[in-house]
Amino acid sequence: MKITDELGFVLFDGAMGTILQEQNLLVPGELPELLNLSNPDEICEIHKRYVAVGCDVITTNTFGANAHKMKHCGIGVEEVISAAVRNAKAANPKYVALDIGPTGQLLAPMGTMTFCEAYDLFAQQVRAGAAAGADLILCETFSDLQEIRACVLAAKENCDLPVIATMTFTEDGRTFMGTDAMIAALTLSGLGVDALGVNCSLGPDALLPVVQDLVKYSPVPVLVQANAGLPCEHEGHTHYDIDAKAYAQSVKTLIEAGVRMVGGCCGTTPEYIREVGNILKEQKTPVVCTPVRQTVLCSATRAQVLDGKVTVIGERINPTGKKRLKEALRNHQMDYLIGEAIDQTKAGADVLDINVGLPELDEPAMMQEVVREVGAVTPLPLQIDSTDPIAIEAGVREFAGIALINSVNGKQETLDAILPIAKKYGSVVLGLTLDETGIPETAQERLQIAERILKAAQAYGIPKEKVMIDALVLTASAQQEQVMTTLETVRLVKEKLGLKTVLGVSNVSFGLPNRPLFNSMFLSAALGAGLDAPIMNPMAEESMKAIRCFRVCNCEDSAAADYIARYAEETPASVQNATGEKSLRSCILEGRAEEAARAVRELLKTQEPFKIIDENFIPALDEVGQGFEKGTLFLPQLMQSASAVKAAFDVIKESADGAETKSRGTVILATVKGDIHDIGKNIVKMMLENYGYTVIDLGRDVPPETVVTATKEYQAPLVGLSALMTTTVGGMKETIAALKEAGVPCKVMVGGAVLTPEYARMVGADFYAKDAREAVKIANELFERI
């Protein structure tokens, strides 16, 4: 990155909102970005204070300046951003960064905003910032990997400025949506950002483990803008528990870990940045770090490292030879494809192949939809499989992570069509050892094609670890002599080129009896030859037995734990009823909304609605919640299960024919006055409703008197208040005080990204809900006592 090349270390500014709050410039409910127009001198003065203490990069006051958040203010995005850049430049800094934050909405399928809609919002901001003269783009404070991908792509495709991307992590080392630092570093660097990192959430000491992983895997400079610890209150004023000198000393540890770009987030001021600048002067030279280079495929929540591990690529979402799948694609039966994805995941697949190539379909559109829907129900990385470059790009663009592109071959036209896509999106590419002359008969000739593919990929800037080779499996029934040629090619590719290898295992047995037996024997031989990733049916037990045995022999399955768990005794019966249909509880656990609705219709023929709820809905949601608490499931899976319950609940409501259904109790929810963010509140609402509570949702930017009136009207024993910004937490305290003053006999739980147990006590709340699962537990315990 040019900036780091010129400066070595780069010093960013600190918080804007903290100072605006101190100066009483923030009006509750008003967007801080509008101050660029109404109070330009004050905004410019804040920028000047940061420049005066040595900042290299000043960040514009445009965090929420997108068309979605500004749709009711009557002022255009371009006008606000132009004024913000002008105010920043007036401070005469070395560089001005256009600040872009999240949209404030959940992206589909969890929310209503599509990837394209988010992209368009960000693209408008980028074009406005570039036109106004910004020097770089800063995409910051994102927790959703898919949303920050939309922001980065919008920046890369709509300007030629450097792009920096930072995400916000919680104490468990993951973002709110479940992305860890390794996945963030690999995915964002794969998209071509010039720097990446972390901001907000935590203090610098708490961020150290995240930072160490970012530095370990990032090939580009790492930026850290931490909070000044936790917010607390003293004599009616909010301050943070880490002072400037302590903050700077903690930042020194981050610099010693390899960080090259530093600044501050919530709670930091020019005093903090001056102290950090002094630390940079003492350090003088950045630590040189060499990132780990591995072949990795990942989704937003799970990474599959291929180095030293056998990776099973599930083959069942591919219409070739599958009549039922073809029908599902033609009839747009997404539940069937979703079921195939879930079943393969449960059976032990590590990656899922997605091929929707039927001539009568709009393949790019179908690929995009299937990738989105499958990605919502499984944490596995995907292989985007097509002969159409447009369909391939549609798939990898929609996928939140690092996909495997299947495929290229030795033909130059194919290389020139697919490799630029792989480079743009940071994908891993699979090369088939064939060219214009077909599939060579000798292993040496196939090796030569593999070498040609590798050189072409490197010429496009794709590193060696992002190239895999398919040695091609031919049928033993028709080309028996080629079976050993394939295995020899695998050995040569591994030994001579050091590349990971892939084989479509089941091709070998075509035309032979007892195909599962032959497939498993060939698979064992291929694994011995060095095969890294078989494309196979993970529900073929013979082949999966071979995989699990090899993992023990190859020291992948430590102490044979997985093998013993699978085979020590007979596996319990699967969660299927006598008709072969999935049970309702299973559908909820797996997030199968359409199947859950069908299962409820069947159960209603013999069971009362509340028995179905008590014996299926609640236990399944509890099980998902326990997985969420343990960190084995993440927010996307939690919400998919909640959506399945909603679909099932709707069937029960329909069957009641308008009759009132019994509620477990009434809960009031609101995002407090001055705060327009409601993602967390909406998730809590969905979860509470699924547990049978009546939720009165007052919306966002809700004044205290509205909460008081609603709580009285509905006689609600529990009120839930949400805030995302530190500047609006005061609204919580005001609302709780209003409830107490009015004598309303209710309890209050609070939550939000900036909230802590200490802050909850400070504002007078009865309960602190760190997430939606905790909110449900609080409600359950409270209403059981009433």
Side-chain angles (χ1 to χ4, degrees):
M1 183 177 180
K2 182 180 178 182
I3 295 173
T4 53
D5 291 343
E6 292 177 352
L7 302 177
F9 286 118
V10 180
L11 184 60
F12 275 66
D13 55 11
M16 171 65 72
T18 298
I19 300 178
L20 293 176
Q21 190 175 27
E22 288 176 354
Q23 297 181 356
N24 296 316
L25 289 172
L26 287 177
V27 177
E30 183 180 5
L31 291 172
E33 293 77 15
L34 298 182
L35 294 172
N36 291 301
L37 296 169
S38 63
N39 298 71
D41 292 341
E42 287 84 350
I43 296 298
C44 184
E45 182 58 34
I46 294 172
H47 291 320
K48 287 180 178 178
R49 288 173 59 189
Y50 280 117
V51 172
V53 297
C55 280
D56 302 306
V57 180
I58 292 298
T59 307
T60 58
N61 179 34
T62 54
F63 180 81
N66 65 67
H68 179 79
K69 289 184 178 180
M70 295 176 57
K71 60 186 175 183
H72 299 303
C73 70
I75 300 175
V77 169
E78 290 79 5
E79 184 179 359
V80 170
I81 288 180
S82 179
V85 174
R86 185 168 59 249
N87 293 337
K89 281 187 167 291
N92 198 30
K94 294 176 182 176
Y95 301 98
V96 170
L98 175 70
D99 187 18
I100 302 179
T103 63
Q105 297 294 299
L106 282 172
L107 267 59
M110 288 186 294
T112 57
M113 181 172 287
T114 67
F115 180 87
C116 291
E117 288 170 341
Y119 173 93
D120 289 342
L121 292 175
F122 296 134
Q124 182 183 18
Q125 293 172 271
V126 169
R127 290 192 294 268
D135 300 301
L136 61 131
I137 308 295
L138 175 61
C139 314
E140 68 162 347
T141 326
F142 285 81
S143 60
D144 183 348
L145 186 65
Q146 185 69 324
E147 188 176 21
I148 198 171
R149 287 181 73 253
C151 190
V152 169
L153 287 169
K156 299 286 289 184
E157 294 174 355
N158 288 275
C159 75
D160 57 2
L161 301 176
V163 179
I164 301 175
T166 64
M167 302 192 77
T168 179
F169 296 82
T170 59
E171 288 180 322
D172 65 357
R174 291 180 178 267
T175 71
F176 177 56
M177 300 293 284
T179 299
D180 65 24
M182 173 186 177
I183 291 172
L186 294 175
T187 302
L188 294 174
S189 62
L191 290 174
V193 298
D194 297 277
L196 57 86
V198 54
N199 76 296
C200 204
S201 301
L202 304 168
D205 289 336
L207 281 179
L208 179 59
V210 169
V211 170
Q212 288 171 329
D213 276 347
L214 289 174
V215 171
K216 180 178 179 180
Y217 294 106
S218 175
V220 297
V222 170
L223 165 64
V224 179
Q225 292 182 286
N227 285 354
L230 296 173
C232 47
E233 188 178 83
H234 180 67
E235 297 181 353
H237 297 284
T238 299
H239 68 281
Y240 288 74
D241 63 1
I242 299 177
D243 64 26
K245 288 189 178 296
Y247 181 89
Q249 286 303 310
S250 295
V251 167
K252 181 179 180 181
T253 302
L254 303 181
I255 293 168
E256 291 170 347
V259 171
R260 293 184 61 184
M261 310 172 80
V262 289
C265 204
C266 301
T268 62
T269 63
E271 180 187 358
Y272 284 74
I273 303 306
R274 177 190 290 112
E275 294 294 338
V276 172
N278 291 336
I279 294 294
L280 295 184
K281 292 173 185 175
E282 294 174 4
Q283 295 299 115
K284 297 180 181 179
T285 305
V287 174
V288 177
C289 298
T290 302
V292 172
R293 299 183 63 174
Q294 296 173 311
T295 301
V296 181
L297 302 172
C298 70
S299 67
T301 59
R302 183 179 298 183
Q304 180 67 22
V305 180
L306 278 78
D307 293 65
K309 294 182 180 179
V310 174
T311 295
V312 175
I313 302 176
E315 67 181 7
R316 291 192 56 79
I317 305 180
N318 185 325
T320 303
K322 300 183 183 70
K323 182 179 179 181
R324 181 65 186 89
L325 183 61
K326 290 179 181 179
E327 292 176 358
L329 288 169
R330 293 187 184 110
N331 298 323
H332 203 262
Q333 296 173 331
M334 284 294 136
D335 58 326
Y336 181 81
L337 280 81
I338 287 171
E340 288 286 355
I342 293 171
D343 289 342
Q344 291 183 95
T345 302
K346 292 178 64 179
D350 302 301
V351 177
L352 296 182
D353 179 71
I354 305 294
N355 185 313
V356 295
L358 290 179
E360 62 269 36
L361 299 180
D362 179 346
E363 187 180 355
M366 180 61 76
M367 177 68 81
Q368 190 176 41
E369 182 177 4
V370 172
V371 165
R372 180 170 60 250
E373 294 296 328
V374 167
V377 298
T378 176
L380 300 185
L382 300 183
Q383 173 174 272
I384 308 302
D385 185 358
S386 177
T387 59
D388 180 359
I390 298 175
I392 285 177
E393 180 158 18
V396 295
R397 190 177 183 88
E398 187 67 33
F399 180 59
I402 300 173
L404 174 60
I405 290 178
N406 184 1
S407 58
V408 297
N409 55 53
K411 299 177 184 178
Q412 193 61 46
E413 61 183 275
T414 303
L415 294 168
D416 291 338
I418 303 300
L419 292 180
I421 298 172
K423 171 60 179 175
K424 177 178 179 179
Y425 295 96
S427 305
V428 178
V429 65
L430 178 57
L432 309 183
T433 52
L434 61 85
D435 58 16
E436 294 85 354
T437 64
I439 302 174
E441 294 187 358
T442 70
Q444 192 63 42
E445 290 173 312
R446 294 189 197 182
L447 175 66
Q448 291 172 0
I449 295 176
E451 189 172 12
R452 193 188 317 157
I453 292 170
L454 173 60
K455 288 181 178 179
Q458 291 176 321
Y460 274 99
I462 299 171
K464 181 177 180 178
E465 63 268 19
K466 289 199 170 185
V467 179
M468 300 178 70
I469 295 297
D470 188 337
L472 297 176
V473 176
L474 301 179
T475 61
S477 59
Q479 295 165 293
Q480 189 172 352
E481 69 283 354
Q482 289 296 311
V483 174
M484 296 307 294
T485 299
T486 296
L487 297 180
E488 179 61 19
T489 304
V490 169
R491 290 191 187 93
L492 288 174
V493 168
K494 297 282 288 186
E495 293 172 5
K496 303 295 185 182
L497 303 180
L499 299 179
K500 302 296 183 294
T501 55
V502 178
L503 289 178
V505 172
S506 60
N507 293 342
V508 74
S509 65
F510 186 79
L512 293 174
N514 200 347
R515 294 188 67 188
L517 171 63
F518 200 93
N519 289 344
S520 66
M521 293 302 101
F522 175 73
L523 173 60
S524 296
L527 293 170
L531 175 63
D532 297 286
I535 301 174
M536 53 178 276
N537 179 4
M539 291 180 284
E541 187 56 29
E542 289 297 320
S543 293
M544 287 305 294
K545 286 178 179 177
I547 292 288
R548 294 188 181 106
C549 289
F550 181 82
R551 284 173 172 164
V552 174
C553 297
N554 202 38
C555 298
E556 298 175 39
D557 182 4
S558 180
D562 179 63
Y563 182 88
I564 293 170
R566 293 275 181 173
Y567 303 120
E569 56 187 32
E570 287 294 319
T571 305
S574 66
V575 285
Q576 293 188 359
N577 60 30
T579 64
E581 292 292 325
K582 289 282 182 179
S583 70
L584 173 57
R585 184 167 176 174
S586 172
C587 292
I588 294 170
L589 292 173
E590 297 167 7
R592 302 178 189 246
E594 293 185 33
E595 292 186 45
R598 287 200 295 269
V600 167
R601 290 190 185 97
E602 193 65 30
L603 288 173
L604 282 170
K605 295 177 182 178
T606 58
Q607 295 184 23
E608 291 297 318
F610 287 104
K611 183 178 181 182
I612 297 173
I613 293 171
D614 290 341
E615 295 184 1
N616 292 276
F617 289 15
I618 304 305
L621 284 171
D622 284 344
E623 187 172 340
V624 174
Q626 289 163 9
F628 181 72
E629 289 179 340
K630 294 175 182 176
T632 57
L633 294 176
F634 303 102
L635 184 61
Q637 288 80 41
L638 185 72
M639 293 190 66
Q640 282 302 124
S641 292
S643 296
V645 169
K646 183 180 184 304
F649 225 127
D650 289 344
V651 174
I652 289 179
K653 290 180 180 178
E654 291 170 10
S655 71
D657 196 24
E660 289 292 325
T661 55
K662 185 180 178 182
S663 169
R664 298 182 71 180
T666 300
V667 182
I668 302 288
L669 292 183
T671 300
V672 297
K673 183 178 180 181
D675 203 319
I676 61 171
H677 303 86
D678 59 0
I679 289 178
K681 171 184 67 63
N682 294 342
I683 295 171
V684 171
K685 176 185 177 182
M686 179 188 293
M687 290 295 295
L688 287 170
E689 287 179 337
N690 284 340
Y691 272 82
Y693 292 99
T694 298
V695 177
I696 308 301
D697 184 1
L698 302 181
R700 56 190 182 183
D701 192 16
V702 181
E705 55 270 23
T706 302
V707 177
V708 172
T709 300
T711 308
K712 286 181 176 179
E713 178 184 350
Y714 293 99
Q715 298 183 342
L718 181 61
V719 174
L721 301 177
S722 172
L724 181 68
M725 302 183 295
T726 55
T727 54
T728 59
V729 173
M732 281 185 171
K733 186 174 184 179
E734 185 180 349
T735 302
I736 293 171
L739 286 167
K740 291 180 179 178
E741 185 177 342
V744 181
C746 68
K747 298 293 184 180
V748 180
M749 64 177 175
V750 296
V754 297
L755 266 291
T756 63
E758 293 78 13
Y759 223 160
R761 289 193 292 270
M762 185 188 79
V763 299
D766 299 290
F767 307 104
Y768 164 66
K770 64 179 181 178
D771 51 42
R773 169 65 178 163
E774 186 67 23
V776 170
K777 289 176 65 176
I778 290 168
N780 288 344
E781 292 172 3
L782 175 64
F783 281 91
E784 283 175 5
R785 296 197 301 267
I786 295 176

